[in-house]
Amino acid sequence: GNRNHIGMGWKPTVSRNVPFVVVTFSSRELVKEKILEWKMLRSCSENNVEKKTNGKEKPEGDVVRLSTLENLAIGITSALIAGVVTQPIDVVKTRIMTQAASNAVPYKNAIDCAFTILRTEGWRKLYSGFAQRSIYMCGLWGITFSLEPVLSSYLEDKNGE
């Protein structure tokens, strides 16, 4: 009966979600670091130009920060990278979870499912639904990463009172 199929998709779901989150946060840190380095270099070169032109210097304590828009872009970029890495796993997860409702011969496991898709439908089928999933994930992670610094700063200010 249906009882045997209830938990069929948990392994592929975890196998997709864990790498997705790891890749999202790892790529976030990498992209964030590169943007901050670029902003720091730009700030230093502008500071040197200012020194030569008008003698005014920026204080040493200036910290380069990311804007809300930059954090939004980082979230979108990170979600896209993670989506490219994990979309084949998502397709396999969906196939395994929906096979109980179909008349198709069931897959033995996730590996069998992936190789069957490759053999019978081609590698591009492993990326079906990527655009739709990207819209959702890019929005979700873009908003999350753009609001996180704002909310953290607000909470730190509240705790300091």
Side-chain angles (χ1 to χ4, degrees):
N2 259 355
R3 215 170 112 217
N4 295 338
H5 298 289
I6 289 173
M8 281 189 76
W10 78 267
K11 286 179 186 175
T13 300
V14 170
S15 297
R16 179 212 51 202
N17 288 353
V18 171
F20 186 90
V21 171
V22 168
V23 171
T24 300
F25 279 94
S26 299
S27 60
R28 173 198 189 189
E29 290 307 308
L30 181 66
V31 173
K32 187 169 134 181
E33 183 181 300
K34 294 299 176 192
I35 290 173
L36 286 170
E37 283 175 11
W38 176 78
K39 286 179 82 164
M40 187 74 91
L41 286 171
R42 200 178 84 194
S43 173
C44 288
S45 78
E46 286 173 1
N47 196 13
N48 285 339
V49 169
E50 286 177 19
K51 278 185 201 175
K52 290 175 185 171
T53 56
N54 61 15
K56 292 182 183 173
E57 217 176 301
K58 288 186 178 179
E60 287 294 318
D62 274 3
V63 177
V64 177
R65 297 190 196 289
L66 295 171
S67 70
T68 301
L69 192 58
E70 288 167 330
N71 279 310
L72 176 70
I74 289 168
I76 291 169
T77 302
S78 299
L80 275 173
I81 293 167
V84 167
V85 171
T86 61
Q87 186 63 26
I89 301 167
D90 189 59
V91 169
V92 169
K93 173 201 71 85
T94 302
R95 291 282 180 98
I96 287 174
M97 291 178 79
T98 58
Q99 75 179 353
S102 77
N103 293 328
V105 176
Y107 302 109
K108 295 176 196 139
N109 53 42
I111 302 294
D112 177 53
C113 179
F115 280 115
T116 300
I117 293 169
L118 283 170
R119 188 176 58 254
T120 61
E121 301 173 68
W123 70 269
R124 287 186 179 159
K125 198 63 169 180
L126 290 172
Y127 283 89
S128 61
F130 178 73
Q132 296 84 343
R133 185 169 173 239
S134 293
I135 290 168
Y136 160 69
M137 293 311 237
C138 289
L140 173 73
W141 289 98
I143 291 168
T144 300
F145 287 164
S146 63
L147 288 180
E148 182 264 332
V150 173
L151 294 175
S152 292
S153 177
Y154 171 77
L155 292 173
E156 285 172 11
D157 290 348
K158 270 296 208 207
N159 284 337
E161 290 177 0

